[in-house]
Amino acid sequence: MSITGIRSFDPDTGSSVETLIECLRYITTGDPPPNSDRGGSFVHDPKFAGETEVKAQVRLQFKDVLGKKIVVTRSLMVTQTAKKLTLKTLEGTIKRYGLNGETTEMSSKCAEIDAEAILNHVIFCHQEESNWPLSEGKALKQRFDEIFAATRYIKALEEIRKKKNEMTSEIKVYQTQVDSLVNSKNEKQKSFIENWNLMNHVFQHVET
């Protein structure tokens, strides 16, 4: 992993490390550490660099289950104003290398790279929260619901059921209208045929 401008890492000179859980969590999920004020303290402080802004980047290279190399890059920038630090997320990319040397690259400018499954079935937690699996039942269930987005899934199912019921009601209304139109059409056709037969009968009588 290559890191520049994160925490105490110099923004101008990149550093390579084997493991740094905060950066690993950020590069794979896009989420900064929970105690970093949404990223402000996560990035190297501009005051220490003697600048008004500092750009930071985390790049991770790994291999997928097929042995193909993947490089994920996320960039940030923190601007120092008179009152506060302002964090801005810059372009992120996912670059995939084929076994034959071909490459494909996805940019956050044209796609949501967080939606790409970079790592599956991995749970990241801050050291201060490392005992959460031992929480009481309700809190533990809530945490797993958050991890696996169970609440959003349930809400989505409820919304689907609601839409289905609404559409079923609309279909019944439309079906009633269709039945009414069909009956009206049949009545008009019957009336037309009766009038036509009556006119033919009258014409035949007149000719006779």
Side-chain angles (χ1 to χ4, degrees), residues 5-137:
I6 298 295
R7 294 293 191 185
S8 59
F9 288 88
D10 191 277
D12 297 320
T13 304
S15 300
S16 297
V17 295
E18 294 181 358
T19 303
L20 187 61
I21 193 64
E22 288 182 339
C23 288
L24 183 59
R25 179 178 188 270
Y26 173 69
I27 193 67
T28 55
T29 66
D31 297 327
N35 297 325
S36 61
D37 300 323
R38 298 304 300 168
S41 62
F42 182 46
V43 179
H44 195 85
D45 195 327
K47 292 180 180 178
F48 295 152
E51 303 288 346
T52 57
E53 67 178 31
V54 166
K55 292 182 179 180
Q57 185 180 90
V58 181
R59 180 182 293 113
L60 176 66
Q61 176 179 308
F62 60 97
K63 291 184 178 180
D64 64 12
V65 294
L66 299 177
K68 297 179 181 179
K69 185 174 71 173
I70 298 177
V71 177
V72 184
T73 304
R74 292 183 187 270
S75 301
L76 313 91
M77 181 176 69
V78 166
T79 303
Q80 176 70 58
T81 63
K83 297 182 179 180
K84 63 178 182 179
L85 291 173
T86 302
L87 173 69
K88 180 180 181 181
T89 300
L90 304 179
E91 183 181 11
T93 61
I94 298 178
K95 192 170 185 178
R96 304 176 187 274
Y97 294 80
L99 296 178
N100 296 323
E102 70 278 7
T103 62
T104 59
E105 186 169 338
M106 176 184 294
S107 169
S108 59
K109 291 182 178 180
C110 58
E112 180 56 62
I113 66 172
D114 289 341
E116 291 290 302
I118 300 174
L119 289 181
N120 293 322
H121 311 301
V122 178
I123 299 174
F124 293 98
C125 67
H126 199 270
Q127 184 176 356
E128 298 171 359
E129 303 174 340
S130 60
N131 291 327
W132 71 264
L134 304 178
S135 304
E136 55 94 13

Side-chain angles (χ1 to χ4, degrees), residues 135-155:
S135 304
E136 55 94 13
K138 183 178 180 181
L140 187 62
K141 179 181 181 300
Q142 181 179 357
R143 187 60 179 267
F144 274 110
D145 286 347
E146 292 174 354
I147 292 172
F148 297 107
T151 301
R152 287 189 297 173
Y153 176 73
I154 293 172
K155 288 182 177 179

